[in-house]
Amino acid sequence: MTKTTYVATAPDGSQHTRKTDRTYTHAVLLEGEEGWGAVGFCGRPDLAEKKRGEHPGSILVECGVLGDRAADMPEAVATEPTATSADEEKTVDQKIREAKVYVPEASEPKRTIGSLVQELLMDEALGYEAIVDQVMAEFPDAKTSVRSVASVAAVLRKKGADVPMRRKTKG
């Protein structure tokens, strides 16, 4: 596996490196008598924060890859001549002005069992059984029961919603 050289820069500008096949995102640095030193390199911010807590006075910095690309990655070589296009001659400002922005159409929020139950509870004509039947028609895998619908109604009433009362059917 190809090794990558990671670099962490201390506040005084000194750089600390580690060459590994692992992926690092953060480093913990500690200032000592001889300047800054790397306590450790970590692959996740939460692990780096944990290590920082183990070393009082240490700081957390983000790591970068040495250079703009991985140190040991071969540089790409063009196999075909590249043609100069009109886009390369445009300035950055021109490209920005001509860029098209894609904005997805606003879609309705995903319908959930809970939102359907709340909506159906506001219809006085529907009993709890009818609400359960409609939920099961739209969500066949739902485990909704008359008791769960009644529970949702009770919670809504406690929160101040005007949910119509229903009579229990004997069965």
Side-chain angles (χ1 to χ4, degrees):
M1 186 168 200
T2 305
K3 293 192 177 211
T4 305
T5 303
Y6 292 94
V7 61
T9 306
D12 66 354
S14 62
Q15 293 186 333
H16 307 276
T17 59
R18 174 161 296 168
K19 189 171 187 173
T20 181
D21 56 356
R22 290 185 171 194
T23 302
Y24 290 124
T25 58
H26 293 81
V28 178
L29 305 178
L30 183 63
E31 189 174 24
E33 293 177 11
E34 297 179 21
W36 288 92
V39 174
F41 286 73
C42 300
R44 294 191 337 233
D46 59 319
L47 295 175
E49 191 61 43
K50 180 180 175 186
K51 184 167 280 297
R52 189 188 65 75
E54 295 169 0
H55 300 278
S58 62
I59 61 167
L60 185 67
V61 296
E62 288 187 11
C63 290
V65 175
L66 189 62
D68 290 335
R69 58 186 172 78
D72 298 325
M73 296 294 289
E75 194 163 327
V77 177
T79 57
E80 296 178 13
T82 57
T84 307
S85 67
D87 282 344
E88 291 180 26
E89 296 171 7
K90 294 179 182 176
T91 66
V92 173
D93 291 333
Q94 288 172 327
K95 289 179 182 179
I96 291 171
R97 280 192 292 276
E98 294 171 2
K100 292 187 173 107
V101 178
Y102 171 74
V103 179
E105 293 181 26
S107 60
E108 291 184 22
K110 186 176 178 182
R111 188 172 186 133
T112 63
I113 295 171
S115 64
L116 178 60
V117 168
Q118 289 179 17
E119 180 184 321
L120 295 174
L121 278 169
M122 296 305 163
D123 185 355
E124 278 185 61
L126 294 175
Y128 292 151
E129 295 85 5
I131 292 173
V132 170
D133 291 341
Q134 286 192 27
V135 168
M136 296 305 284
E138 193 165 331
F139 299 95
D141 295 333
K143 293 183 173 45
T144 306
S145 65
V146 171
R147 186 172 180 171
S148 64
V149 172
S151 176
V152 170
V155 168
L156 289 173
R157 286 186 192 106
K158 280 186 180 178
K159 291 183 178 179
D162 188 22
V163 179
M165 296 297 288
R166 290 161 173 87
R167 293 187 179 269
K168 288 185 181 179
T169 57
K170 293 184 180 183

